[in-house]
Amino acid sequence: MKKLLSILAASTMIISTPLSVVACKKTKTDIDNEFDYQALQQELRNSVQQIFDSNLKSDFDDYFFVDKKGGDNGVDYPFGENDVEWFRSNQGEISKLNSPESKEVQESISKIINWNKVEDEINSLILTNVNYKPILVSGKSPLKDGYYIQSLEVKENFETNDIKVIISIGANFYYLNERREIESDALNNFKTSITILNELSELSADELNKIKNDYQNALNTKANANSFVYRSDKGNLQNSAQSINDKEEGKEIYNQIGSIFDTIDNNNGEIKFNNDFLINTNRENVVDGSVDCTYPEWYWQDGNFGNKDAIETLKLALRGDKQAEDKFIEECSKNGSTWLANKVERFVKNIEELSAKYKDFAEAFNSFNLNYNLEHDTTFKISLKKSNFKLELDNESDERNYIALFRADIDDIYFEYSGKKYELPAEQIVIKQLPFTNTIALYKKFIQDSFDFQKQMLGFNDDLIQENNANYFYYLNRPHSWKTIEPTTPIPASEGLEQLLEANPEATKYLVDLDLSNCVSNTGWSNNSTFKWISFNENNDLYFYKSLLDKNYSFRLRTWFFSSGPFNMYNTYKNDFSLQWRNDFPVMKVNESVSAWKLKD
């Protein structure tokens, strides 16, 4: 539970629906907005959580199996004179954290933890990161209280007569909210265990740790660490993470892991790994291959600005001219487009040179962009400290069309020896998403599907309406639930946009193949905040707004390839498609101005 500790010093709305409607966010430099604070807080929390988890895992890894001779890599037995029988006799008391027996175990556990390593990494990776300064409390560590042992549990394995000490470790996480107040909540508890072998165990701690190490090393050979690939064209990263976990949709990865287990020394068939393990893919910390948003270079009312060929071709395409549509899609989707620009070179400096050299990837998203984002993702990079994973991009034979990186734990893994089960620690693998063709074809399909969706959603396939639509107004189907709503009634933007999409099933079908995401945002490029309300007036003009005082603004429907919005505060630097903002009909006053957006029955 969050605790408000002390006071120190235009909200946005996330839209999340089954139809992949997502919010847009502002850039990290605009830190005055509550939603930006929430996004930055989450990013900081994720990075600190990863530092916490990875260091504690490293500390406890040598103690996963112990006997009186010690554990792995020469470490001593951690519990002094307290053997299996002592733990068995004091099982109930140890779980009571204030009991003398529990405190004795806690003291032994504290000697395992090297908290200085955690603080050193926070100092070098967190406190020196200028992005985090607005939410750090006095520039100090977010884990100023250190750690605490949340719970202890002792379980006896009646098959092996061994004792398992299950340990849960927590820490308080401190940060500043948007009002410059100190808040704290708890990190997710780190959970581990120490298995204490009884003196009559068939396998020693050394032998069990060798099996554990063989398992860890097999997953982390250079070849295996870089071999996990998920084939998919879909851009919804969270849905893709769930699909990887599914034993049917992710079966290639499950089978690959099983094949790796088959290469581990099985002591002449006596050691068998289970095949009902689970893959648990992280849905929050995913790296994608997009580094910049797209910039429509046309305007509906251009004056002396904008690409006139682009807007005239777009108008013909919206009227149903197939030749014009083909030209529009081709011009918008090609590398180096001057119609729908993507300024990747601001981030990947030599992208145009690489594109000209290889001619087999889209500049909008590719392995080079993916590697750039990986290098700038603190949380993901921390998780790779002991991994042999690396995106290889130096040779002509290297794959240039990866579009996302997922990190996943292998959970519920164990091996059997002489009919007895021995659990193993969860281990992380990295999974690369690769489209079925290449990113050139994928990006073109994204532009085509987005255009088809918006053309249908905004009423340009309604011949009757288009007969008298010289101004190219957008006409959206009125949701059924809106038919009883009085004009000018404010409708929450989150549910309102969801209802508009549900009222247009012929449009949303174009989102399915690539699992695309949408939002309605303001007119800026790097400042794409969403709106709080939707309303319509008696003339069926439709408005998105934050306040009734809003004036001289416009808005646009944006279709995103990647669903990075709600989870990545830099989502303004992600590939999207829009028909551009309607500068020919700016909203001068909510509910009164003529809007380019209309409702139809």
Side-chain angles (χ1 to χ4, degrees):
M1 179 181 295
K2 292 184 178 181
K3 296 173 286 185
L4 188 59
L5 301 181
S6 65
I7 298 178
L8 297 178
S11 300
T12 59
M13 180 71 68
I14 297 177
I15 303 170
S16 179
T17 78
L19 294 171
S20 299
V21 187
V22 303
C24 304
K25 299 183 187 177
K26 295 185 180 180
T27 64
K28 59 183 177 180
T29 56
D30 182 8
I31 202 66
D32 293 329
N33 184 282
E34 178 180 359
F35 190 77
D36 294 322
Y37 265 86
Q38 291 175 352
L40 189 58
Q41 289 157 7
Q42 187 61 51
E43 182 184 327
L44 174 63
R45 191 183 196 281
N46 288 345
S47 296
V48 173
Q49 181 78 59
Q50 188 59 49
I51 291 172
F52 181 73
D53 289 344
S54 61
N55 278 284
L56 290 181
K57 184 181 188 309
S58 177
D59 289 340
F60 281 93
D61 202 44
D62 288 340
Y63 297 89
F64 198 79
F65 295 111
V66 298
D67 55 24
K68 292 298 288 183
K69 295 180 181 178
D72 202 7
N73 293 314
V75 300
D76 294 332
Y77 178 70
F79 298 115
E81 298 301 318
N82 297 329
D83 57 10
V84 167
E85 187 56 41
W86 183 87
F87 276 92
R88 185 181 291 119
S89 301
N90 293 285
Q91 185 171 348
E93 291 302 310
I94 292 170
S95 65
K96 301 174 184 177
L97 295 182
N98 289 323
S99 72
E101 293 82 2
S102 181
K103 288 186 180 296
E104 189 173 350
V105 175
Q106 291 175 52
E107 183 178 353
S108 297
I109 290 171
S110 294
K111 292 177 181 178
I112 295 173
I113 298 172
N114 186 347
W115 190 251
N116 287 335
K117 287 199 307 178
V118 175
E119 289 292 356
D120 287 345
E121 283 198 17
I122 287 177
N123 288 336
S124 62
L125 298 175
I126 303 300
L127 302 188
T128 60
N129 189 326
V130 295
N131 294 330
Y132 296 142
K133 287 189 181 298
I135 59 172
L136 291 174
V137 180
S138 302
K140 301 294 181 60
S141 170
L143 304 185
K144 67 184 185 67
D145 294 343
Y147 68 90
Y148 54 84
I149 295 177
Q150 176 70 34
S151 67
L152 291 174
E153 183 180 5
V154 176
K155 283 189 175 181
E156 182 174 4
N157 185 329
F158 293 104
E159 287 185 354
T160 62
N161 293 320
D162 300 328
I163 287 292
K164 177 183 289 187
V165 183
I166 301 171
I167 306 159
S168 181
I169 300 171
N172 292 323
F173 172 72
Y174 291 87
Y175 58 94
L176 297 178
N177 64 21
E178 68 282 0
R179 295 179 298 277
R180 310 297 293 165
E181 300 165 336
I182 300 176
E183 290 193 20
S184 77
D185 56 25
L187 291 182
N188 295 332
N189 290 331
F190 172 79
K191 297 180 180 180
T192 189
S193 65
I194 299 175
T195 295
I196 307 171
L197 306 179
N198 76 82
E199 294 181 359
L200 301 178
S201 175
E202 294 184 57
L203 294 174
S204 68
D206 283 343
E207 291 171 314
L208 289 173
N209 281 312
K210 179 183 182 304
I211 298 170
K212 171 182 68 76
N213 292 337
D214 287 347
Y215 152 68
Q216 292 171 329
N217 293 337
L219 288 172
N220 198 35
T221 64
K222 184 176 179 181
N224 287 339
N226 292 278
S227 66
F228 299 103
V229 175
Y230 172 64
R231 299 300 295 260
S232 172
D233 289 341
K234 296 183 182 296
N236 189 305
L237 302 172
Q238 290 66 47
N239 289 346
S240 293
Q242 189 59 44
S243 295
I244 291 170
N245 295 345
D246 184 84
K247 290 207 168 185
E248 183 58 35
E249 295 184 68
K251 64 182 178 181
E252 291 187 9
I253 298 172
Y254 275 94
N255 290 340
Q256 186 179 354
I257 294 171
S259 297
I260 291 173
F261 290 166
D262 291 340
T263 68
I264 300 173
D265 181 11
N266 62 13
N267 196 24
N268 297 318
E270 292 184 306
I271 299 170
K272 294 182 180 179
F273 290 88
N274 64 310
N275 58 11
D276 57 348
F277 59 87
L278 298 175
I279 297 175
N280 183 14
T281 306
N282 190 309
R283 300 181 64 188
E284 294 185 4
N285 185 212
V286 183
V287 180
D288 64 56
S290 174
V291 296
D292 198 15
C293 62
T294 39
Y295 302 80
E297 297 292 351
W298 63 85
Y299 297 96
W300 286 88
Q301 180 175 301
D302 50 43
N304 295 321
F305 302 98
N307 189 316
K308 291 181 173 59
D309 190 16
I311 187 61
E312 294 306 318
T313 304
L314 172 59
K315 288 179 178 180
L316 289 172
L318 291 174
R319 293 290 195 218
D321 186 322
K322 188 64 171 68
Q323 186 175 354
E325 179 183 321
D326 291 344
K327 178 182 178 181
F328 182 77
I329 299 301
E330 183 65 31
E331 289 292 334
C332 287
S333 61
K334 68 182 183 182
N335 285 340
S337 174
T338 58
W339 289 23
L340 192 63
N342 195 304
K343 301 176 183 179
V344 175
E345 69 277 2
R346 295 192 302 158
F347 306 92
V348 183
K349 303 301 182 183
N350 61 338
I351 193 66
E352 293 176 348
E353 176 187 340
L354 293 166
S355 174
K357 177 181 179 180
Y358 294 115
K359 298 181 174 62
D360 62 356
F361 65 87
E363 293 176 8
F365 39 72
N366 53 68
S367 299
F368 301 103
N369 297 1
L370 185 63
N371 194 57
Y372 175 90
N373 285 338
L374 173 61
E375 289 301 312
H376 291 81
D377 191 310
T378 303
T379 306
F380 209 107
K381 283 191 68 178
I382 293 168
S383 79
L384 300 179
K385 277 194 307 183
K386 294 188 175 182
S387 173
N388 281 319
F389 173 81
K390 181 184 178 182
L391 270 177
E392 299 288 352
L393 296 171
D394 297 330
N395 300 319
E396 188 164 346
S397 59
D398 292 330
E399 180 57 65
R400 290 173 284 277
N401 286 278
Y402 293 122
I403 61 174
L405 295 178
F406 301 86
R407 54 191 186 95
D409 286 339
I410 303 174
D411 287 338
D412 296 345
I413 180 71
Y414 62 86
F415 66 90
E416 293 187 22
Y417 180 85
S418 297
K420 298 173 182 177
K421 293 182 181 179
Y422 297 89
E423 293 183 8
L424 288 167
E427 295 297 328
Q428 177 179 286
I429 60 173
V430 177
I431 300 165
K432 299 172 285 190
Q433 182 178 347
L434 185 67
F436 289 109
T437 53
N438 61 29
T439 51
I440 293 175
L442 180 61
Y443 186 60
K444 186 172 184 178
K445 179 171 173 56
F446 163 63
I447 299 298
Q448 181 71 66
D449 288 1
S450 299
F451 173 82
D452 290 341
F453 160 70
Q454 296 207 13
K455 182 184 176 188
Q456 178 69 43
M457 181 76 182
L458 302 176
F460 288 102
N461 289 337
D462 189 326
D463 295 336
L464 184 62
I465 285 179
Q466 294 308 317
E467 287 179 2
N468 298 297
N469 189 17
N471 290 312
Y472 291 84
F473 287 142
Y474 300 164
Y475 287 92
L476 292 81
N477 291 344
R478 186 191 307 271
H480 178 75
S481 60
W482 291 17
K483 293 181 180 180
T484 58
I485 294 178
E486 291 295 320
T488 73
T489 301
I491 302 166
S494 55
E495 62 184 69
L497 184 51
E498 179 180 351
Q499 291 162 350
L500 285 167
L501 285 162
E502 290 175 347
N504 287 269
E506 287 301 308
T508 55
K509 69 182 182 182
Y510 293 109
L511 304 174
V512 174
D513 281 358
L514 302 184
D515 204 358
L516 303 178
S517 306
N518 292 281
C519 72
V520 173
S521 70
N522 67 6
T523 56
W525 296 118
S526 61
N527 183 19
N528 289 286
S529 58
T530 51
F531 296 96
K532 187 174 183 180
W533 304 106
I534 303 173
S535 66
F536 58 90
N537 65 15
E538 58 189 11
N539 296 321
N540 288 322
D541 289 297
L542 187 65
Y543 307 89
F544 289 77
Y545 60 97
K546 300 174 186 177
S547 165
L548 289 174
L549 299 178
D550 291 352
K551 60 182 179 179
N552 197 18
Y553 73 99
S554 187
F555 40 87
R556 58 197 171 116
L557 175 63
R558 301 183 73 176
T559 301
W560 304 84
F561 181 77
F562 290 114
S563 61
S564 311
F567 305 97
N568 183 337
M569 69 177 298
Y570 316 120
N571 79 304
T572 52
Y573 300 107
K574 301 300 171 188
N575 300 112
D576 69 284
F577 174 86
S578 78
L579 299 182
Q580 184 58 296
W581 52 282
R582 295 302 299 263
N583 63 325
D584 50 343
F585 287 94
V587 176
M588 304 307 297
K589 189 169 185 180
V590 176
N591 293 327
E592 293 186 19
S593 299
V594 174
S595 173
W597 293 58
K598 316 281 186 183
L599 287 177
K600 64 171 181 168
D601 291 311

